[in-house]
């Protein structure tokens, strides 16, 4: 099966509205329980943060969908600079 994602891409679980925005870390080998074959191209290790704690989980690539919106794992709040219309002239 061809690989669908690259390290660093942003993904979420298909069909779950409350699924977190996760970043792909790498593909990991996983052994098939029935045949004992090792699959190197289907399972992804993903990372996300919840309440300041790092979470890692392995997902099959067919359960994930690439997100159009990208960005960092931590939210940054940008404040608007305060403008003053009354300035003292020297």
């Amino acid at each position: 099966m061809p690989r669908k994602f690259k390290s660093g891409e942003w993904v979420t679980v298909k069909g779950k509205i409350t699924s977190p925005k996760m970043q792909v870390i790498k593909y990991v080998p996983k052994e098939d329980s029935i045949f004992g074959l090792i699959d190197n191209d289907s399972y992804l290790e993903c990372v996300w943060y919840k309440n300041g704690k790092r979470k890692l989980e392995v997902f099959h690539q067919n359960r994930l969908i690439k997100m159009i919106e990208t960005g960092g794992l931590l939210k940054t709040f940008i404040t608007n600079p305060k403008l003053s219309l009354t300035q003292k002239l020297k």
Side-chain angles (χ1 to χ4, degrees):
M1 179 179 291
R3 292 183 173 190
K4 294 182 178 181
F5 304 101
K6 296 177 186 173
S7 293
E9 289 186 326
W10 295 95
V11 296
T12 188
V13 178
K14 285 183 190 177
K16 287 193 173 183
I17 296 171
T18 59
S19 173
K21 180 168 108 175
M22 304 177 286
Q23 190 171 25
V24 174
I25 301 295
K26 62 183 176 181
Y27 277 86
V28 293
K30 191 161 183 178
E31 185 176 351
D32 185 291
S33 60
I34 298 171
F35 300 110
L37 301 173
I38 295 178
D39 186 354
N40 291 316
D41 297 325
S42 297
Y43 292 91
L44 296 158
E45 183 177 51
C46 297
V47 64
W48 72 97
Y49 289 86
K50 184 175 181 180
N51 298 326
K53 294 187 181 184
R54 184 179 174 164
K55 306 280 187 173
L56 283 171
E57 193 168 338
V58 175
F59 296 92
H60 190 281
Q61 69 179 5
N62 290 342
R63 290 187 57 209
L64 301 174
I65 188 167
K66 190 183 299 187
M67 295 187 69
I68 296 170
E69 177 188 332
T70 61
L73 291 171
L74 300 175
K75 292 183 181 178
T76 304
F77 297 100
I78 299 173
T79 58
N80 293 331
K82 293 183 181 180
L83 299 175
S84 174
L85 297 177
T86 56
Q87 293 181 350
K88 294 182 180 179
L89 298 174
K90 291 185 179 180

